[in-house]
Amino acid sequence: MSKWKRRRLLFMADVHERRGTDPSEVLAGLHELAAEDPYDLEVLLAAAELLSDRAGRRTGTAREADLAASISLLHRCVPLVPPGDYDRWRVFNSLGQRLFLVAQGTDSPEPVAESVLAFREAVAATPHGDRMRQVNQFFLAVQLGEHFERSGDRDAPVEAVQVAREGYATVPPGDELSPMFRTVLITSLRHLAGATAQVEPLQEAVGLAREALSEAGSTSDRAGAQFDLVRALRALYDATTDARLLVEAVDLSEQCLAATPRRDPEFDTRRARLASAVRLLAQDRRDPDLMRRAIDLMRATIETPSAADEHADTLIDLIQSLASLHTMTDDPLALRDAELTARTALASAPDPGPWRTQAQLALAEALLYRSSVDARGADVVALHEALGLFQHVAAATPPDHGERGDRLWLLGVTLHDLARHGDGDTAAWRRQARHVFAEAASAAGPPNVRIKSFQQLGAVEAALGDPHASLAAYEAAVALLPQLTPDWLSYRGNIIELRQIEGLPDGAAAAALELGRPERALELLELSRGILHGRTLEARDLRLLRHRSPELHTEFLRLRTALNSGARDGSNGNDKNDENWADLMGRIRSLDGMAGFLRAPSAQALRRHAEQGPVVVVNVSGRRCDALILRADAEQPVLTVPLTGLTQADVVAQLLRLTGAVFAAPNDPSLLARRDAQRNLDEILRWLWERVTSPVLDALGLTAPSSDTRPPPRIWWCPVGLMAYFPLHAAGRHDSGEQSGKATVMDRAVSSYTTTVRALADRSGPPAAGTAPHTLVVAVPDAENAPSLPGAAAEAAALAELLPNSLVLSGAQATYENVVRALPAHPVAHLSCHGLTSWENPAAGMLLLHDHLTRPLTVEQLSAMELPYADLAYLSACSTSNTHPYSADEALHITGAFQLAGYRRVIGTLWPVDDTTSVEITRATYADLTHGGSTPPRTELSALALHRAVRALRDRYPASPSLWAGYVHVGH
């Protein structure tokens, strides 16, 4: 072909590319030229560009074919541009762009990985100072981010941040690339935080976004900067669960959307992001009205034709929002709409493609959820449909996909549900579930997914009759728990993570007991409960490690961070990380004095905590119920008492009965209803006696009332899960008759409670410098927006007489600042005020001080305090030991918060207490502790003093358990 025809074809190729017209004839000519001269770089590049341009106007297989042909031509160009060739960057830039287009149509990480390699070559081939180097750096940073999202490669965000930083630093001020680099740097920092489980990159990202907002001039630029800041705030919220960040994100989203014209192409994207932020805020606050607003925003986005690019993600958000609205309101229409929306999404999803996989996943989750909440029982038809969808999803999810483990877990849950509801061959369903859960537990993914997969695997193995495999799976789940709650995660974030292990402690213990291993059962309970309490002990171990070996301390922090990220480490994935962790633990524990580093004490080591009295762990699971009695006996430290008359279903039923009774007893306007509530409480105490405490006391030889002439025996109760709501110390038949009146726990022993055995570790120290053995008395008789508490003033007056050296902060003096300042200087603290618990957000539970509306003293704030010299806290307030069932094993309530702060002994309440009798118990307890006011309080006798005061009130009002059975002593 002549040079003139070659020039004409290249000219026409440029024309067609600019106009976006059909280049078929020109392509044919270019292919002919390429066949004649396979080394004609310009012809090959022109044909590749035309094919790529045409692919953008096509769909389906035609689009894929054009892209594949374009990439093939570009691969032919690579040998024609050796290092040093000026055109080398052009070839690799074009190749990277085409590979990215291919990646948009698949979930596979391979095209993105190839694109990254291409852009690396493009950057390397472009001289420093050349603007195209900065352009290539920008694309490389973008593709590295996409590569991380697809593959989980933790090195990708590190490189992306480096590349973005260099580009951002070298772009001249005012250049249009500058804001683009800042945006990609913010994104890269978010990815880096995800890869390293560190919060600092997110904080830097928020700082950069705020900087961009402060520099924005026009309304349009300001809206764009607001949008970037919203995304950074959202990421920081996801990491820390700090609700203030979410509130700011919603506010900025509102401003951003208001400043964006409806015709702006970014309008729908920004509206979708606002909807997503509002949805998260609604979930955080459990606010159905906010959730409805989020739903309305999502529907508006979906109904807008111009928002086609937003439809996929917004539809998924809408489905999840409707399901959340159902959990808040029990509105069946919301659940129906969630399923219908999921079906609509699936019907409109192209096949194949990542969007179809997402739609299948959303519909399957909706069906699984509907089956689980159906009051009539599991919908087997829905489960079968969900099963088929989850199987398609699993097949479409690559082995190294970051969400593969979670998707397999959902498939396993569906199979397990089919087995539990007796559909067909139950054993066959369970065998399939076993295989799926095992694969999910070994898949690349975050610790919470692996933990719940191992937990489910343990339950399935038990159902299949393999107790050894069951115990091994539960042990693997428990071993991963240290990776679940990283140090940088907020207190509330830790609470949310720990909610996911509901049922793990009791299931693990039951698995060990099935094999006749009570000591191992106790050890597993210690590992899987009271994790936040355990972190206090862990901090001590880490300080010692830093002193003994700074190098191993640094290595420990690095590896734990890597494990918390859930990312893969090389080709061996989680297995390699686990091997490294085991090796590191071995080296640390070989150090002198470090044998117990981060290791749950053995039963032999734990028995020293039972020297003053047995510790009774009451474990209830779906398979069996037992009491594990820890004693100081070296030969048999743990004694198992099977509670054969107790079932998990009974516990749930009695808990519902208890909850209604403790509310009705003091509050119901009907005298008859109040009397019935007291009878219900009495019957619950009898049930506890017969099913739980009497068998335990018999096993301990405590078969008769204690003598008043010698100190009564001590016993510590350590209830697991839902058992934490029951007054085990008050169990019995409290009739007026002499014989039956002694068949109670309180007539045979003095009871205390503990979250775990380890929580009984003596953390007391010498008195703080400048402190005196004085008591702090806080009394709030009239808190704003709360009922009056005249008993608070009466308690303050009584304690002022019994404790003449006490500091009394009453009324307007009982402020947050005054109380927090006084607590470290007073080993004993008595707080008489209202207590407010929060089931949805246990961290927000609080004591109502004088200024509680502006500065609340919350569970989270109390838990963060360090009071190593604290001794006794007496919480004369309602329901200080009450929390959400998910958080019962963590003691995430006001009483537990004082323990975390450092108090060795805490007196609290299980339910609302009577104001008048509260004064009586307070006065009697302190009179006993101080010998009628003649000595400072002997805090080591606090359990006995409370016991005597409560028993005296019981003797006066045996038919009114609500008045006296709710007081508990926790700790030593």
Side-chain angles (χ1 to χ4, degrees):
M1 188 176 290
S2 68
K3 292 184 179 180
W4 181 85
K5 288 185 177 180
R6 177 181 180 276
R7 286 198 297 270
R8 180 177 179 281
L9 278 172
L10 291 174
F11 173 77
M12 292 305 299
D14 184 62
V15 170
H16 280 294
E17 185 180 352
R18 291 174 183 275
R19 293 179 178 176
T21 52
D22 182 18
S24 299
E25 292 184 5
V26 175
L27 274 171
L30 290 174
H31 280 298
E32 185 181 345
L33 274 176
E36 293 177 4
D37 183 0
Y39 302 104
D40 193 330
L41 178 65
E42 195 170 359
V43 167
L44 292 171
L45 283 175
E49 291 293 337
L50 281 181
L51 285 164
S52 176
D53 184 60
R54 188 171 70 179
R57 301 190 297 275
R58 289 180 160 186
T59 59
T61 56
R63 176 183 183 275
E64 293 174 10
D66 277 349
L67 283 176
S70 177
I71 290 171
S72 177
L73 288 170
L74 289 168
H75 279 303
R76 288 174 57 185
C77 293
V78 170
L80 306 179
V81 285
D85 192 293
Y86 176 79
D87 287 317
R88 185 174 175 83
W89 73 264
R90 290 178 56 204
V91 170
F92 280 105
N93 177 285
S94 294
L95 181 57
Q97 300 278 12
R98 307 309 164 250
L99 288 165
F100 175 64
L101 291 174
V102 171
Q104 290 179 320
T106 176
D107 268 344
S108 173
E110 292 179 7
V112 180
E114 292 182 39
S115 178
V116 166
L117 294 175
F119 279 119
R120 279 197 191 120
E121 291 290 344
V123 170
T126 315
H128 287 275
D130 191 319
R131 176 177 170 76
M132 288 311 303
R133 177 181 176 83
Q134 295 162 347
V135 171
N136 286 322
Q137 285 176 316
F138 172 78
F139 283 120
L140 174 58
V142 171
Q143 291 302 86
L144 283 165
E146 184 71 18
H147 176 54
F148 169 68
E149 291 182 346
R150 297 283 183 102
S151 68
D153 181 352
R154 286 182 292 138
D155 292 330
V158 176
E159 182 182 356
V161 168
Q162 292 172 343
V163 171
R165 281 197 201 283
E166 181 185 336
Y168 186 43
T170 56
V171 171
D175 191 293
E176 62 179 5
L177 279 176
S178 182
M180 295 169 63
F181 263 118
R182 182 156 52 189
T183 297
V184 78
L185 177 56
I186 291 170
T187 301
S188 301
L189 287 165
R190 289 195 286 109
H191 290 153
L192 182 62
T196 61
Q198 294 177 347
V199 74
E200 290 80 7
L202 293 175
Q203 293 167 337
E204 182 183 352
V206 169
L208 283 168
R210 293 194 192 282
E211 173 188 301
L213 181 57
S214 68
E215 295 175 1
S218 67
T219 302
S220 175
D221 288 347
R222 185 170 180 80
Q226 286 172 329
F227 185 67
D228 285 343
L229 179 53
V230 165
R231 295 177 67 191
L233 289 167
R234 273 286 309 278
L236 188 55
Y237 164 77
D238 290 340
T240 65
T241 67
D242 184 342
R244 293 171 298 182
L245 299 168
L246 195 54
V247 171
E248 184 182 0
V250 169
D251 182 55
L252 282 167
S253 289
E254 295 273 18
Q255 297 177 38
C256 176
L257 189 64
T260 306
R262 181 63 191 84
R263 64 183 180 278
D264 191 306
E266 291 294 318
F267 181 87
D268 293 308
T269 298
R270 292 170 181 178
R271 180 170 56 189
R273 294 300 179 269
L274 170 60
S276 180
V278 172
R279 176 175 72 88
L280 284 178
L281 187 60
Q283 289 176 333
D284 185 272
R285 294 179 174 178
R286 300 289 298 178
D287 186 334
D289 290 332
L290 263 181
M291 188 61 74
R292 291 187 185 96
R293 179 163 176 257
I295 289 169
D296 289 341
L297 286 164
M298 292 172 192
R299 291 195 191 281
T301 300
I302 292 168
E303 292 166 2
T304 305
S306 62
D309 291 341
E310 295 298 327
H311 283 185
D313 292 339
T314 305
L315 272 170
I316 300 300
D317 268 359
L318 177 57
I319 296 163
Q320 294 172 346
S321 300
L322 288 164
S324 295
L325 182 61
H326 176 267
T327 63
M328 295 177 188
T329 63
D330 287 327
D331 181 358
L333 294 178
L335 188 55
R336 186 203 65 181
D337 286 351
E339 184 178 334
L340 290 176
T341 304
R343 293 191 185 282
T344 300
L346 183 56
S348 62
D351 186 16
W355 164 225
R356 185 168 185 82
T357 302
Q358 287 289 340
Q360 289 173 325
L361 182 62
L363 177 56
E365 288 184 291
L367 290 165
L368 183 61
Y369 177 63
R370 172 161 67 82
S371 177
S372 68
V373 301
D374 194 332
R376 299 166 297 178
D379 185 336
V380 176
V381 174
L383 283 175
H384 274 283
E385 185 180 1
L387 175 63
L389 290 164
F390 280 133
Q391 287 171 332
H392 281 295
V393 169
T397 306
D400 53 359
H401 194 285
E403 294 183 15
R404 180 168 176 80
D406 203 30
R407 294 174 179 182
L408 287 170
W409 179 81
L410 288 166
L411 172 58
V413 169
T414 307
L415 290 163
H416 197 198
D417 279 358
L418 285 166
R420 288 193 300 113
H421 296 294
D423 179 64
D425 188 344
T426 298
W429 289 128
R430 285 179 176 146
R431 285 192 294 270
Q432 290 185 58
R434 172 171 60 190
H435 173 76
V436 170
F437 284 133
E439 185 180 352
S442 62
N448 65 322
V449 174
R450 300 184 66 204
I451 288 168
K452 65 185 182 181
S453 297
F454 275 123
Q455 181 180 350
Q456 290 280 9
L457 178 60
V460 170
E461 295 286 16
L464 286 170
D466 190 339
H468 292 280
S470 175
L471 178 59
Y474 277 115
E475 288 180 323
V478 172
L480 289 169
L481 288 177
Q483 302 173 27
L484 187 64
T485 53
D487 293 337
W488 54 263
L489 196 60
S490 70
Y491 180 79
R492 190 174 177 211
N494 279 311
I495 293 174
I496 293 171
E497 288 295 312
L498 290 170
R499 281 188 175 188
Q500 301 182 64
I501 65 169
E502 181 192 18
L504 175 57
D506 53 90
L513 290 169
E514 290 285 336
L515 292 171
R517 299 179 60 187
E519 289 85 2
R520 185 54 179 157
L522 180 64
E523 291 163 359
L524 288 170
L525 287 170
E526 286 294 297
L527 275 168
S528 56
R529 300 176 65 253
I531 292 173
L532 292 183
H533 283 255
R535 285 178 63 178
T536 302
L537 302 177
E538 177 185 320
R540 182 192 64 190
D541 281 353
L542 286 177
R543 287 194 294 269
L544 182 58
L545 175 62
R546 185 172 55 198
H547 173 72
R548 294 286 173 83
S549 174
E551 297 81 8
L552 287 179
H553 179 265
T554 301
E555 186 176 348
F556 170 84
L557 295 179
R558 181 195 59 76
L559 183 55
R560 185 173 62 174
T561 295
L563 286 163
N564 284 335
S565 73
R568 300 183 67 195
D569 185 6
S571 60
N572 293 321
N574 289 312
D575 291 340
K576 183 64 175 177
N577 278 334
D578 292 344
E579 290 172 11
N580 291 340
W581 178 265
D583 175 70
L584 177 61
M585 290 299 100
R587 285 184 283 137
I588 292 173
R589 289 166 182 165
S590 67
L591 296 175
D592 184 34
M594 298 295 293
F597 179 78
L598 296 191
R599 176 182 281 154
S602 66
Q604 284 292 339
L606 290 169
R607 67 183 177 85
R608 66 186 178 85
H609 297 301
E611 291 175 351
Q612 296 181 7
V615 182
V616 181
V617 182
V618 183
N619 189 62
V620 175
S621 77
R623 298 206 302 278
R624 57 183 292 155
C625 302
D626 303 88
L628 300 174
I629 303 177
L630 178 67
R631 307 172 299 171
D633 187 337
E635 293 187 4
Q636 190 182 11
V638 182
L639 177 66
T640 304
V641 180
L643 302 176
T644 55
L646 189 66
T647 68
Q648 192 175 59
D650 287 342
V651 171
V652 173
Q654 293 292 344
L655 177 57
L656 293 173
R657 189 181 184 192
L658 175 70
T659 303
V662 297
F663 176 79
N667 298 312
D668 200 286
S670 166
L671 177 61
L672 182 62
R674 294 199 300 274
R675 186 186 65 184
D676 288 344
Q678 297 291 1
R679 287 178 176 172
N680 281 335
L681 284 173
D682 183 69
E683 290 175 7
I684 291 169
L685 296 182
R686 291 169 180 267
W687 170 78
L688 281 172
W689 173 257
E690 294 168 1
R691 305 295 176 88
V692 182
T693 59
S694 179
V696 169
L697 296 185
D698 288 346
L700 290 170
L702 302 176
T703 57
S706 60
S707 170
D708 292 333
T709 61
R710 67 176 187 273
R714 290 288 304 276
I715 187 170
W716 276 264
W717 299 99
C718 182
V720 177
L722 297 181
M723 290 304 300
Y725 292 91
F726 291 97
L728 297 169
H729 67 287
R733 298 190 291 270
H734 298 274
D735 306 280
S736 56
E738 176 67 20
Q739 187 63 32
S740 61
K742 299 301 182 182
T744 74
V745 174
M746 66 173 57
D747 286 303
R748 299 189 185 182
V750 175
S751 293
S752 293
Y753 288 82
T754 185
T755 307
T756 62
V757 178
R758 287 172 299 154
L760 292 174
D762 191 347
R763 291 182 288 152
S764 62
T771 63
H774 296 169
T775 300
L776 170 66
V777 178
V778 178
V780 189
D782 295 293
E784 195 170 352
N785 288 359
S788 178
L789 275 181
E795 287 186 20
L799 294 181
E801 294 180 8
L802 291 168
L803 303 163
N805 292 323
S806 60
L807 170 65
V808 179
L809 298 175
S810 183
Q813 294 180 315
T815 63
Y816 174 94
E817 184 175 354
N818 288 342
V819 170
V820 169
R821 184 189 299 120
L823 283 173
H826 296 83
V828 179
H830 181 94
L831 296 100
S832 181
C833 55
H834 280 293
L836 183 65
T837 59
S838 172
W839 267 35
E840 295 304 330
N841 181 11
M846 68 179 75
L847 292 173
L848 302 193
L849 301 180
H850 179 73
D851 55 349
H852 71 93
L853 293 179
T854 55
R855 298 199 69 186
L857 182 58
T858 66
V859 166
E860 181 174 2
Q861 291 164 327
L862 285 164
S863 300
M865 298 180 72
E866 293 188 12
L867 305 173
Y869 312 108
D871 194 351
L872 169 66
Y874 190 131
L875 309 178
S876 185
C878 292
S879 306
T880 63
S881 301
N882 192 283
T883 188
H884 194 288
Y886 287 147
S887 303
D889 281 327
E890 290 298 314
L892 296 175
H893 43 58
I894 302 169
T895 301
F898 273 87
Q899 270 197 296
L900 273 177
Y903 286 90
R904 301 179 68 224
R905 309 166 176 91
V906 185
I907 293 173
T909 56
L910 290 174
W911 56 64
V913 292
D914 178 72
D915 194 38
T916 302
T917 54
S918 180
V919 177
E920 289 188 39
I921 291 179
T922 294
R923 184 183 290 112
T925 300
Y926 281 96
D928 199 340
L929 290 177
T930 63
H931 275 306
S934 61
T935 66
R938 296 169 300 162
T939 57
E940 71 277 7
L941 301 178
S942 55
L944 178 59
L946 178 67
H947 168 83
R948 289 170 174 165
V950 169
R951 195 171 66 173
L953 193 63
R954 185 279 313 265
D955 290 343
R956 288 167 53 196
Y957 306 108
S960 300
S962 72
L963 297 178
W964 44 267
Y967 289 88
V968 293
H969 181 274
V970 180
H972 287 276

